[in-house]
């Protein structure tokens, strides 16, 4: 009789441990799902969200054509084409935009006298950003230097031509990778590659370059 009672107690303990273990794993799974969901954000207005179809493969990477031949501010064609059209995660190196270990001449060509500067898509020539707005050129440069890349705010984005994907990737409506939305205490901050917004409104795409898709 004692043996039977011990077996029953052991069975009860085993069942309780099994339930506890199952609950623990179920909770972990739920936490992982929550963490994964946190990467799929919807940013507040005026940010305009887009979906993955924008960046679907096209004739030239994620874009119909290569970047323009004559990019502004001394931006390198190959670097621009790689980052704009064959890339979803990486960027020009920090400080590229201000001429650190690069041929970029943005800070030599632009200043307070430039007023509001329009930044055009390096592929299509469509306007994507207009800055500085609501701040001085010095403030725009200061924030951009602090982060390593040109940094734009909501009111400086041309939303007709720009979309933000749920993971924060910031792209043009035509499939040009631009950078990422990295919000801070002031709100959305669009950390953008200069080579991706150095187009000319009258510029024409390069005829062809070696495919790297």
């Amino acid at each position: 009789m004692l043996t039977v009672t011990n077996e029953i107690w052991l069975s009860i303990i085993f069942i309780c441990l099994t339930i506890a273990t199952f609950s623990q794993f179920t909770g972990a799974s739920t936490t992982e799902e929550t963490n994964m969901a946190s990467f799929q954000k919807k940013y507040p207005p005026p940010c305009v969200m887009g979906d993955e179809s924008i960046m679907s493969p096209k004739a030239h990477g994620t874009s119909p054509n290569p970047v323009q031949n004559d990019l502004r501010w001394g931006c390198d064609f190959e670097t621009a084409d790689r980052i704009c059209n064959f890339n979803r995660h990486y960027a020009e190196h920090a400080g590229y935009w201000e001429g650190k270990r690069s041929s970029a001449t943005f800070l030599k060509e632009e200043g307070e006298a430039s007023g509001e500067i329009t930044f055009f898509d390096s592929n299509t020539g469509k306007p994507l950003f207009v800055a500085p707005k609501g701040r001085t050129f010095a403030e725009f440069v200061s924030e951009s230097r602090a982060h390593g890349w040109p940094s734009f705010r909501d009111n400086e984005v041309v939303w007709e031509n720009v979309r933000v994907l749920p993971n924060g990737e910031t792209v043009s409506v035509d499939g040009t990778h631009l950078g990422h939305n990295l919000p801070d205490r002031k709100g959305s901050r669009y950390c953008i590659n200069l080579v991706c917004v150095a187009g000319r409104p009258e510029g024409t795409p390069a005829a062809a370059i070696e495919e790297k898709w």
Side-chain angles (χ1 to χ4, degrees):
M1 189 70 176
L2 183 61
T3 303
V4 174
T5 303
N6 285 342
E7 288 178 351
I8 292 173
W9 276 111
L10 287 172
S11 297
I12 292 172
I13 292 170
F14 176 76
I15 291 170
C16 290
L17 288 172
T18 301
I19 293 172
T21 302
F22 177 77
S23 298
Q24 181 180 0
F25 278 112
T26 302
S29 177
T30 302
T31 301
E32 288 175 4
E33 290 173 1
T34 301
N35 288 340
M36 287 298 293
S38 69
F39 286 98
Q40 302 299 310
K41 299 179 179 178
K42 185 174 182 180
Y43 299 93
C47 178
V48 180
M49 302 297 294
D51 58 50
E52 190 63 27
S53 64
I54 297 173
M55 300 301 282
S56 62
K58 302 179 184 68
H60 191 78
T62 57
S63 300
N65 46 255
V67 298
Q68 298 172 4
N69 284 311
D70 55 345
L71 296 173
R72 300 163 76 191
W73 305 307
C75 288
D76 176 66
F77 174 90
E78 290 188 4
T79 301
D81 198 62
R82 182 177 68 253
I83 294 174
C84 289
N85 300 321
F86 300 94
N87 161 67
R88 302 292 303 280
H89 306 288
Y90 299 104
E92 65 197 23
H93 63 260
Y96 178 101
W97 72 280
E98 55 179 317
K100 291 183 178 179
R101 294 181 292 112
S102 77
S103 59
T105 58
F106 179 80
L107 289 182
K108 294 179 180 178
E109 295 185 40
E110 309 295 351
E112 292 289 353
S114 302
E116 295 183 351
I117 303 164
T118 302
F119 297 77
F120 298 94
D121 190 323
S122 291
N123 282 315
T124 67
K126 291 180 180 179
L128 302 177
F129 301 92
V130 180
K133 276 189 174 183
R135 54 177 170 171
T136 65
F137 181 80
E139 289 169 334
F140 168 73
V141 169
S142 177
E143 181 173 62
S144 299
R145 273 183 170 153
H147 297 286
W149 288 267
S151 295
F152 301 91
R153 295 293 174 170
D154 281 328
N155 65 322
E156 296 173 324
V157 185
V158 181
W159 289 113
E160 178 184 350
N161 301 320
V162 176
R163 296 290 182 270
V164 177
L165 305 191
N167 66 352
E169 183 181 7
T170 303
V171 303
S172 79
V173 293
D174 298 291
T176 306
H177 172 83
L178 304 175
H180 287 84
N181 183 9
L182 303 173
D184 57 20
R185 59 185 178 81
K186 296 179 181 178
S188 290
R189 180 181 64 82
Y190 305 93
C191 190
I192 303 299
N193 295 286
L194 182 69
V195 297
C196 301
V197 293
R200 299 177 185 274
E202 73 281 8
T204 54
I209 67 168
E210 182 181 357
E211 290 291 336
K212 301 173 185 176
W213 180 251

